[in-house]
Amino acid sequence: MSASHPTHGVTVGAASHSPVSRPSSSEGQHQRRRAQSGLATSVIGSLERSGKWAEWQQAEPRLAGFASLEEAREAWRRRDERCYQVVAGLTALGSRRGADDDDAALAVAVLLEDGVNRVAMTLSDLCEIDDVNATVWEEVKGAEPQLGSHAATYLLRRTRQRLSRPAAGMVSRVATTSLEGGRVTENAQGSSTNDTWVHNAGDRDALIAAPEVEDPVEDLTDLLIWARKVGVVATEEIDLLVELLAAENDGMAREEAQRVVGERHGVAMRTIRRRRDRTTARLRDAAPKYLAAIA
């Protein structure tokens, strides 16, 4: 299957990560949700018009259980485990070493919107939601086609690592390419790139190669993903922890963060504190099982 050039308004490539003024936590969350909804609507509509989903189903059996990307997206929100295979199938279709279909790579970003939002919230001082979507797209393009059921976890982990690297003093040197058109852009050194859509994966990886460093954000996220999967904590409990952490990262004192989050949820600060303590206690008790699981 030949690659098709997506026409959706997301910038693909590493962001400059220059410090910018940030909206409040609630405003930022609303903006992220709105951006994700806009991307999903655009991609889903494009696939419906083109009939491409049906074509993909012929080439990739793991998509057979869902009539459309929209149906798969709704199933993902219900935590339907079949969707892990859908992500794997779309990754195989989108990877340069697979079918090299750019729209399939975008479809992965749409399915992973909850994870994309969490990454954007956690790294809100480094990047915007479009940067996270673009980085997921890049990771799909460079991924092995045989990732299997762990594709979603792998792609989000790689995305966090890629976007976190500038914080360690490393400057991104990957040229940016807009999905709105293959126009010439400039990289961090000021040199121009041509209007080709696909960079050589090996060259690209060599440009961003850097030693792996300990990443506490990644460790925490992996713990939360595992805890949700095995039933230690629920999704809404994880969302609350992330919201509290985001408020503190915005410069609020801990009690102030609890008060603001409590007002947002319409409950008292002590209720938020009690929920937080209950969730962290369960995570603490489950930590030995988590360490054994990843050993």
Side-chain angles (χ1 to χ4, degrees):
M1 182 181 299
S2 61
S4 62
H5 297 167
T7 57
H8 311 282
V10 177
T11 299
V12 170
S16 62
H17 308 290
S18 301
V20 296
S21 59
R22 301 289 173 184
S24 68
S25 178
S26 58
E27 290 173 344
Q29 187 173 16
H30 176 69
Q31 290 175 5
R32 286 188 290 268
R33 294 289 183 186
R34 185 170 57 186
Q36 282 296 84
S37 178
L39 175 63
T41 299
S42 177
V43 175
I44 290 170
S46 175
L47 294 181
E48 288 179 350
R49 290 189 297 272
S50 68
K52 183 172 280 190
W53 185 266
E55 295 177 14
W56 287 345
Q57 287 181 315
Q58 295 298 317
E60 180 49 71
R62 286 174 287 190
L63 275 58
F66 301 98
S68 65
L69 176 61
E70 184 174 20
E71 185 176 309
R73 181 175 176 238
E74 292 301 319
W76 180 270
R77 289 175 169 175
R78 300 193 304 269
R79 304 295 186 262
D80 188 326
E81 292 190 356
R82 294 178 299 167
C83 293
Y84 290 105
Q85 293 299 330
V86 174
V87 173
L90 288 171
T91 300
L93 290 168
S95 169
R96 295 187 184 100
R97 285 167 278 188
D100 197 14
D101 191 307
D102 292 343
D103 287 335
L106 268 179
V108 173
V110 170
L111 277 185
L112 298 184
E113 60 185 346
D114 288 343
V116 166
N117 281 327
R118 286 194 293 272
V119 173
M121 181 182 295
T122 304
L123 302 180
S124 60
D125 58 332
L126 292 175
C127 59
E128 303 287 352
I129 189 72
D130 284 350
D131 302 321
V132 184
N133 278 320
T135 306
V136 169
W137 187 93
E138 288 182 334
E139 289 300 333
V140 174
K141 299 303 294 180
E144 290 284 350
Q146 299 86 18
L147 285 180
S149 60
H150 298 292
T153 300
Y154 170 84
L155 293 169
L156 290 172
R157 179 183 300 167
R158 285 280 299 173
T159 296
R160 287 193 304 273
Q161 290 174 340
R162 176 81 67 85
L163 291 170
S164 296
R165 281 173 179 168
M170 288 165 275
V171 178
S172 172
R173 292 177 288 178
V174 179
T176 59
T177 304
S178 170
L179 294 187
E180 297 176 275
R183 59 176 177 269
V184 174
T185 57
E186 288 188 349
N187 58 24
Q189 284 72 39
S191 60
S192 296
T193 62
N194 60 28
D195 58 350
T196 56
W197 283 90
V198 179
H199 298 287
N200 178 274
D203 292 343
R204 183 203 63 179
D205 289 342
L207 285 173
I208 63 168
E212 294 294 335
V213 295
E214 293 291 334
D215 185 355
V217 171
E218 178 187 348
D219 292 341
L220 173 61
T221 305
D222 289 344
L223 168 62
L224 293 177
I225 291 173
W226 172 86
R228 185 189 66 186
K229 184 176 180 180
V230 300
V232 173
V233 294
T235 301
E236 57 269 19
E237 293 172 316
I238 292 177
D239 290 343
L240 177 62
L241 288 181
V242 171
E243 195 172 351
L244 287 168
L245 288 171
E248 291 185 35
N249 287 339
D250 283 343
M252 294 185 188
R254 179 163 297 178
E255 288 193 356
E256 176 67 7
Q258 293 169 4
R259 184 188 65 78
V260 170
V261 172
E263 290 178 353
R264 195 177 298 151
H265 288 264
V267 298
M269 183 176 72
R270 62 178 177 272
T271 302
I272 293 295
R273 185 185 299 119
R274 185 167 59 251
R275 292 178 182 174
R276 180 208 63 184
D277 292 346
R278 186 168 58 238
T279 302
T280 53
R282 287 205 298 272
L283 289 171
R284 190 181 306 113
D285 292 342
K289 294 181 180 179
Y290 168 70
L291 295 174
I294 66 173

